[in-house]
Amino acid sequence: MANIVVIGAGLAGMPAVYELRHALPSRHSVTLICDQPKFTFIPGLIQVALGLKPLDQLQEDLAPLAQRQKLNWVGEKVISLDPIHRQITVASRQIVPYDYLVIATGASLAFDLVPGLGPERGFTHSVCKPNHAVEACQAWSEFLAHPGPLVIGAAPGAGCFGPAYEFALLADHELRRHGIRDQVPMTLITPEPYVGHLGVSGLSHSQSLTTSLLEHHNIAIVDNAAITSVAPHQIILADGRTYAFSYAMILPAFRGAAFLRTVPGLTNEQGFIPVLPSQRHPRFPEIYAAGVVTHVEQPEKNLVPIGIPKTGQMAESMAIAAAHNICVDLGVLRDCLKVPTLDALCFAEFGPTGIAYIAAPVLPDPKTGKRNRSYALQGAWVVWVKAMFEKYFMAKIRWGIGMPWYEKLGLWIFFGLRLQRDLTEAEQVLSPSSPYQASEVSSKT
């Protein structure tokens, strides 16, 4: 009998526990640890922040879900991890042992890297956590009553830019609907070398489509910009430029969870977990990681540092691969080990229209610098597809479904995306050219 533990109940953690529970015989236990009582569909928080959707429409209680799916449920915060003795300590000092561990914690928000950033100790808003979105919505209601300059953007080191574009263009749509757009100068500030870069260069039509939409809606663009500090009602850039605001939503850089950064040899300096192509840790073979918490090297060197996006679809594919490979390792499945392709698909809703950004895979071939597919498409259909996908994903969470065959087939038929492939013999040994570098593992104590 093996006990498999998954830390985190988000876009990677939930598919991982569902896939594990469905594939493993009952003699093996699956434990879910999360300090949040509800699953939240994070991509929908932009609409919550703008008052377009109630938060409860994007949430499901985790305890009854775990009970229905025969998961062991630990609703507490992890305070320490001991990979040598294979055990986890939670806030109540309960010790949770494991034979295999999947870390799917997502990331912590590095607001502290920019003085004055963030809703908790700063002057800007966020759409990265449920409570942040609720607070942003309350402030948005006040802003509509007393409009002024609106600034949207991302801090240096951020790797998730789609939500900034979505917030800017949805906010524009709402301001026009309220008849006050002419009272709100709007500015988008980004560390990207150009808008539509998204941390992934070379997407056909991405720059032109995104720039055209922003300019059409009279949203000023400030790219290659490093926000160095935020004062009350003012954003300061590294080159000395300042931008006044009555309301600001700025996406932060990410880092790994605090308890991960204290484990010698587990993470890099930012707290992200390096993994082999199979999602296994190079130093601790019982540990797998999936989603935003994994380290994926940004292949470009930009004027202002930026990360690489890890979309919800990428998080799912990593989680499914990790679950599959644990089942193979246990002898439950007779199959090849799987590798997530890191094909990325992002639907960005902009009011009556939207843009689908496709990078397959997100990391270009290191020799040719090319991808199998790399493009952006605009149309009202993007809005419909995103809305349907949200409903579908929430239904999967309620029904206890990981990633079924028909979802994989649909992604292949409509977008030419494959989420997994077989691990090759060459990949069984970590290559120096791999984006997953064992040298990235910190030796700090």
Side-chain angles (χ1 to χ4, degrees):
M1 170 184 169
N3 182 36
I4 299 90
V5 175
V6 177
I7 305 176
L11 298 178
M14 294 305 287
V17 292
Y18 286 164
E19 288 288 312
L20 286 164
R21 186 65 285 165
H22 293 165
L24 293 173
S26 58
R27 67 177 181 274
H28 299 294
S29 65
V30 179
T31 299
L32 176 62
I33 302 177
C34 182
D35 62 344
Q36 300 298 314
K38 297 174 182 287
F39 165 84
T40 301
F41 186 72
I42 297 295
L45 292 181
I46 297 165
Q47 293 202 28
V48 173
L50 292 170
L52 301 174
K53 183 173 294 184
L55 178 60
D56 60 8
Q57 192 171 319
L58 303 171
Q59 293 187 316
E60 288 290 334
D61 290 328
L62 287 170
L65 290 178
Q67 183 178 16
R68 284 203 301 269
Q69 301 303 321
K70 297 181 173 57
L71 305 170
N72 298 326
W73 164 243
V74 180
E76 297 188 48
K77 183 177 182 178
V78 174
I79 59 173
S80 68
L81 166 63
D82 180 353
I84 305 302
H85 297 95
R86 302 186 198 176
Q87 60 185 30
I88 299 155
T89 304
V90 296
S92 65
R93 300 297 172 178
Q94 176 187 353
I95 303 296
V96 182
Y98 66 84
D99 296 293
Y100 289 92
L101 171 63
V102 180
I103 300 174
T105 55
S108 62
L109 309 177
F111 290 119
D112 59 293
L113 297 179
V114 178
L117 188 68
E120 293 164 0
R121 299 181 182 178
F123 311 103
T124 64
H125 295 285
S126 160
V127 293
C128 299
K129 294 171 63 176
N131 61 316
H132 290 172
V134 171
E135 184 176 337
C137 180
Q138 294 168 349
W140 179 254
S141 296
E142 297 173 5
F143 176 74
L144 292 177
H146 305 284
L150 174 60
V151 176
I152 305 98
C160 184
F161 302 100
Y165 301 139
E166 278 198 294
F167 192 99
L169 287 158
L170 283 172
D172 172 89
H173 185 262
E174 283 302 290
L175 291 169
R176 294 179 190 277
R177 190 172 68 84
H178 283 83
I180 57 173
R181 178 63 177 88
D182 60 336
Q183 302 176 47
V184 181
M186 291 183 64
T187 305
L188 186 136
I189 300 175
T190 177
E192 301 162 276
Y194 55 83
V195 292
H197 183 281
L198 296 169
V200 184
S201 64
L203 299 187
S204 298
H205 311 303
S206 180
Q207 181 178 7
S208 59
L209 288 176
T210 309
T211 301
S212 176
L213 268 176
L214 292 170
E215 290 179 345
H216 176 73
H217 291 279
N218 197 28
I219 299 173
I221 298 168
V222 184
D223 53 23
N224 270 313
I227 298 173
T228 55
S229 63
V230 182
H233 305 296
Q234 190 175 65
I235 288 174
I236 299 96
L237 304 188
D239 59 11
R241 286 179 291 175
T242 62
Y243 293 87
F245 68 85
S246 296
Y247 187 106
M249 196 291 291
I250 307 295
L251 301 170
F254 293 162
R255 61 162 67 100
F259 80 90
L260 298 174
R261 302 197 301 270
T262 65
V263 181
L266 182 66
T267 74
N268 65 13
E269 293 296 334
Q270 291 74 43
F272 294 115
I273 299 175
V275 291
L276 302 173
S278 62
Q279 298 303 121
R280 200 169 204 161
H281 193 278
R283 186 169 297 183
F284 303 111
E286 304 83 17
I287 295 178
Y288 290 74
V292 179
V293 74
T294 57
H295 168 70
V296 181
E297 186 71 31
Q298 169 60 264
E300 297 182 47
K301 302 301 178 185
N302 298 294
L303 182 63
V304 182
I306 59 174
I308 200 159
K310 300 162 194 169
T311 66
Q313 177 204 330
M314 290 170 64
E316 266 197 284
S317 65
M318 292 181 197
I320 300 305
H324 175 94
N325 293 339
I326 289 171
C327 293
V328 171
D329 208 44
L330 286 170
V332 173
L333 296 178
R334 294 179 178 272
D335 197 358
C336 297
L337 296 176
K338 299 295 182 181
V339 176
T341 60
L342 301 188
D343 287 359
L345 171 62
C346 174
F347 293 116
E349 178 184 356
F350 302 143
T353 189
I355 296 179
Y357 300 95
I358 292 93
V362 71
L363 294 172
D365 185 283
K367 294 181 180 178
T368 65
K370 296 182 179 180
R371 300 181 178 88
N372 297 329
R373 289 172 177 79
S374 179
Y375 59 92
L377 296 172
Q378 181 183 346
W381 63 271
V382 175
V383 180
W384 308 331
V385 170
K386 182 171 182 178
M388 288 189 294
F389 179 76
E390 178 185 301
K391 292 183 182 297
Y392 167 71
F393 198 92
M394 292 302 297
K396 286 204 305 177
I397 294 299
R398 287 191 294 272
W399 298 338
I401 299 173
M403 183 173 284
W405 64 268
Y406 48 81
E407 182 178 342
K408 298 175 186 177
L409 180 62
L411 288 168
W412 171 247
I413 291 173
F414 292 108
F415 301 102
L417 304 182
R418 291 192 184 278
L419 301 186
Q420 294 179 349
R421 58 176 176 79
D422 292 345
L423 182 76
T424 66
E425 290 185 9
E427 287 172 324
Q428 295 183 28
V429 178
L430 189 65
S431 167
S433 63
S434 169
Y436 309 98
Q437 295 292 333
S439 61
E440 291 287 334
V441 182
S442 170
S443 60
K444 65 182 182 296
T445 59

